[in-house]
Amino acid sequence: MHVSDMLEAEGVALVNHGLALWRQGSREEAVTTMRQGIAVCRRLAVAEPAKINHLALALSNLGAMLDEWGRTAEAIPVLEHSIKIMRIYSDKSHEFTADLAGALKNLGSALNQCGSQPEAISTLTESVETYQSLVEQGRLQYELPLALALNSLGNARGLVAAAMDDFDAGIALLRHQDFEDSVEAAMLLASTLASQCGVLMHLTAYERALVNSEEAVAIFRRLGEANPAGVEPYLATALVTRAEALTAVDRLDEAHTAATEAIGIVRRCSAAKPDGWRNRLIRALRLLVDLLPALNRHAEAAVAAKELARLVEEDRHDVKALHRPSPEKPKVSFFSRFRRRRGEASGPRR
């Protein structure tokens, strides 16, 4: 076997293993494995420059992981590097074009996470338009990635009516998917339903927000039975959304139950690996600080408020660090597909 073929096989295996570990909830091990795959893909790109697309796709996947893990400062330069490579190949085939759309989606989500909303909207709009073009050409395999990009664009727009259209379009696409065969589609439907709740509540559509949040939590609970570690982060977020919707219609005891369960999940998951959990905890504690006095639990409210103030201050310091220039170039969603060309076995797609 030629050296480049051996490197390609090794790189594909490592990247696919990293994606599998991530879906199982083994985040640290997944990122380490993905970095190993990227190192091999770098060697492959040196040996055979025509295969540099493998490096670009692996970088996109790593960037998506880092962003979702709360390490956005690391994610953005990795994703920018990926896109720079992908633009060279995007007009060569629909698969290269889809890879670019996926990397743009990952970068847009990261930019939104760090507060660069206009740039995030622009990047995500390009991602959505690219996927839409592929779907309109009859390439229906890109409907799921399109739904993911629409979800991210809706989140980036914020509490405006235009975001409703993004979420509705994504939900409509997802309702046509076969959830028996696609855990990924079910996960994305639940996430999109939960994401839309913020806009619904802002527009005072409280009953629809309640229905959305209830369905989202139910889907995540069902999926979590088979993969607790991989689903719990999403369940925790959906529970906070559910608590917010319940609070909006004065069902305070139920809201407190949902928020408390979310905080319990976050504390348990962050005990061993704190990275990426602070924002979830801040959001849940803010809700509790508002809820507890209304339930005449003032002492608990004071304790929660003290912890919240500490976490917000820590987050403020991290946000400042996020906008400082990176001292070095990167060494080196949901995730892009990663497969070998010329008919070899496919890896996971996203």
Side-chain angles (χ1 to χ4, degrees):
M1 183 181 287
H2 193 274
V3 172
S4 66
D5 291 334
M6 294 174 62
L7 289 172
E8 185 177 11
E10 183 182 359
V12 168
L14 284 166
V15 171
N16 283 339
H17 185 44
L19 293 174
L21 288 167
W22 185 266
R23 293 188 177 99
Q24 294 165 14
S26 302
R27 296 188 166 194
E28 186 172 353
E29 188 178 357
V31 167
T32 298
T33 303
M34 186 64 69
R35 289 191 188 280
Q36 292 170 349
I38 286 169
V40 175
C41 288
R42 284 192 188 283
R43 291 165 56 199
L44 172 63
V46 172
E48 191 168 344
K51 293 185 177 181
I52 196 173
N53 58 290
H54 287 300
L55 172 61
L57 192 55
L59 287 166
S60 178
N61 284 318
L62 175 62
M65 288 179 175
L66 292 171
D67 178 45
E68 191 170 338
W69 201 6
R71 295 163 61 175
T72 307
E74 295 177 63
I76 289 176
V78 171
L79 291 166
E80 290 174 339
H81 187 190
S82 170
I83 289 169
K84 184 176 180 180
I85 298 171
M86 285 183 175
R87 288 202 186 277
I88 300 171
Y89 291 89
S90 62
D91 63 347
K92 295 186 182 299
S93 77
H94 66 85
E95 290 185 344
F96 289 127
T97 300
D99 290 346
L100 173 61
L104 287 165
K105 180 270 157 194
N106 292 339
L107 177 60
S109 297
L111 290 167
N112 185 51
Q113 185 68 25
C114 73
S116 301
Q117 187 186 34
E119 191 176 358
I121 291 173
S122 175
T123 302
L124 289 165
T125 298
E126 182 182 356
S127 175
V128 166
E129 291 174 348
T130 303
Y131 278 133
Q132 283 176 332
S133 176
L134 291 167
V135 171
E136 288 167 2
Q137 294 170 29
R139 305 185 188 284
L140 301 184
Q141 68 267 37
Y142 298 117
E143 284 187 340
L144 190 59
L146 171 57
L148 179 60
L150 284 163
N151 181 14
S152 297
L153 180 57
N155 282 319
R157 289 193 200 278
L159 302 178
V160 297
M164 283 288 293
D165 296 334
D166 298 323
F167 290 129
D168 281 338
I171 289 168
L173 284 168
L174 291 164
R175 294 287 189 197
H176 288 92
Q177 302 296 315
D178 185 355
F179 295 131
E180 294 300 321
D181 293 333
S182 178
V183 171
E184 188 177 22
M187 287 279 288
L188 182 52
L189 175 61
S191 295
T192 306
L193 288 166
S195 295
Q196 192 180 41
C197 286
V199 184
L200 290 169
M201 287 187 283
H202 183 71
L203 298 175
T204 69
Y206 300 125
E207 290 304 318
R208 188 175 170 191
L210 281 172
V211 171
N212 269 26
S213 63
E214 183 177 22
E215 183 178 2
V217 168
I219 292 170
F220 283 134
R221 287 197 194 284
R222 175 173 60 82
L223 296 175
E225 292 175 1
N227 181 18
V231 176
E232 278 190 327
Y234 307 99
L235 174 60
T237 300
L239 282 165
V240 176
T241 299
R242 177 71 174 157
E244 291 168 345
L246 289 164
T247 300
V249 295
D250 293 322
R251 290 163 59 177
L252 302 187
D253 287 324
E254 293 174 76
H256 178 261
T257 298
T260 301
E261 182 182 357
I263 289 173
I265 292 172
V266 171
R267 292 198 193 285
R268 183 173 66 255
C269 292
S270 63
K273 301 175 182 177
D275 285 351
W277 290 95
R278 184 193 297 140
N279 287 337
R280 286 184 175 92
L281 187 54
I282 286 174
R283 182 180 169 195
L285 284 171
R286 278 182 175 144
L287 184 61
L288 268 192
V289 168
D290 290 337
L291 264 178
L292 290 169
L295 295 169
N296 293 317
R297 301 169 74 157
H298 300 286
E300 293 174 61
V303 173
K306 184 176 180 180
E307 182 180 8
L308 176 61
R310 176 178 60 79
L311 291 170
V312 168
E313 183 61 25
E314 290 176 1
D315 194 56
R316 185 178 296 115
H317 286 303
D318 283 357
V319 168
K320 288 179 181 178
L322 184 67
H323 293 282
R324 295 190 192 115
S326 176
E328 60 179 354
K329 294 181 180 179
K331 294 181 179 178
V332 262
S333 282
F334 150 51
F335 303 113
S336 304
R337 61 161 188 88
F338 192 95
R339 68 170 184 166
R340 298 180 66 186
R341 308 294 180 189
R342 307 189 185 98
E344 284 92 345
S346 295
R349 290 178 177 262
R350 182 81 178 197

